Amino acid sequence: MIELYSPAEIEAMRPAGRFVADTLTELSRVADVGMNLLELDELVARRIKEAGAVSCYVDYAPSFGAGPFGKVLCTSVNDAVLHGLPHDYKLKDGDLVSFDFAAEVDGWVADSALSVVVGAPADKDLRLIDTTTRALEAGIGAATVGNKIGDIGHAIATVARGDGYGVNTQFGGHGVGRTMHGDPHIPNDGRPGRGMKLKPGLVIAIEPWFLQTTDEIRYDPDGWTLRSADGSRGAHMEHTVAITEDGPIILTARN
């Protein structure tokens, strides 16, 4: 079921958005060569406890995963791009890592992701992150009242293909509100003017993710982590966005 939220309810979502945004900002600053993915997950678990928030991941067991997830943060490194299950791995110089984090605060959920390089970055990794960032911005720009879901996907895919990247539509954005994953599905490709009309009060996660030389993915044996089929690296960016008469509000905007 697709939920539409009142202006007061969207305001009530802001603390969740701020908490998720601040947590990701901290991760982007502290992640460094030699840090263990389990350390980063433990850091976020402490932040959740300190804030009186609730993890959306630890008990999450959807049909596409080998749940429950058991951790509070997704950490996808290099050729991993989505749903990376934290494990005993120390980040190396030049690693491209994507953090995906969702949490509930006062009954409201926010969901966001970012990708960074630790140590010395390769130009091709920075280019991939830049494309994914601009695709997210384009998708958010298309999330206006009267547009259609297809307009969001078309805006995202236009940026990706313009930079020479393929687009996979198996996983994409989704509705957000009282739960982490709700309707509607927001694919990262689409035809302009097609799909559900965007209405005030709709709150969605928009999340482009691209791989350097393929659009095919495979599962790790852990049943969660999704990697590129050819070993090329991936990047993932995501924001929770409220659609309003005055334009899109990025609830997980980072300072």
Side-chain angles (χ1 to χ4, degrees):
M1 183 175 70
I2 296 172
E3 298 277 356
L4 297 178
Y5 300 100
S6 69
E9 288 173 319
I10 290 172
E11 283 299 309
M13 295 178 190
R14 287 188 183 273
R18 283 195 299 271
F19 174 65
V20 168
D22 289 347
T23 302
L24 286 172
T25 296
E26 182 177 10
L27 283 169
S28 71
R29 290 172 177 165
V30 303
D32 203 354
V33 176
M35 289 201 73
N36 196 301
L37 298 182
L38 295 176
E39 290 180 78
L40 295 169
D41 187 74
E42 289 167 2
L43 169 65
V44 174
R46 291 196 300 272
R47 295 293 178 262
I48 290 171
K49 184 176 180 180
E50 291 164 359
V54 178
S55 169
C56 291
Y57 291 167
V58 68
D59 294 323
Y60 190 50
S63 60
F64 59 78
F69 189 71
K71 302 295 181 183
V72 299
L73 176 69
C74 290
T75 54
S76 303
V77 181
N78 295 333
D79 61 323
V81 67
L82 294 175
H83 310 157
L85 185 64
H87 58 285
D88 185 13
Y89 175 83
K90 291 184 178 180
L91 291 170
K92 299 182 176 67
D93 187 35
D95 276 350
L96 195 170
V97 57
S98 299
F99 299 117
D100 190 355
F101 178 54
E104 177 186 320
V105 176
D106 297 331
W108 297 103
V109 170
D111 190 4
S112 187
L114 60 77
S115 296
V116 297
V117 178
V118 298
D123 287 344
K124 64 180 180 179
D125 293 339
L126 295 179
R127 180 175 181 270
L128 179 64
I129 291 172
D130 177 70
T131 297
T132 312
T133 301
R134 288 187 290 105
L136 174 57
E137 292 168 352
I140 293 170
T144 58
V145 173
N147 271 359
K148 304 287 186 69
I149 285 179
D151 293 308
I152 297 175
H154 178 72
I156 290 169
T158 297
V159 173
R161 294 198 172 102
D163 285 359
Y165 300 111
V167 181
N168 180 300
T169 56
Q170 289 173 257
F171 294 91
H174 49 87
V176 185
R178 291 291 188 182
T179 61
M180 176 173 60
H181 284 158
D183 293 328
H185 175 61
I186 312 293
N188 289 323
D189 195 3
R191 295 173 62 185
R194 300 294 293 270
M196 188 191 84
K197 182 178 287 189
L198 304 177
K199 297 180 180 180
L202 182 66
V203 180
I204 54 177
I206 300 175
E207 52 177 314
W209 57 275
F210 309 127
L211 303 164
Q212 285 174 333
T213 57
T214 185
D215 60 5
E216 297 295 324
I217 52 177
R218 63 176 178 84
Y219 274 96
D220 256 12
D222 65 23
W224 278 102
T225 305
L226 288 167
R227 298 185 182 274
S228 66
D230 65 357
S232 62
R233 293 184 171 195
H236 178 202
M237 294 288 184
E238 177 182 16
H239 274 309
T240 294
V241 179
I243 297 171
T244 77
E245 292 284 8
D246 296 322
I249 297 172
I250 304 172
L251 294 171
T252 50
R254 295 181 289 274
N255 293 328

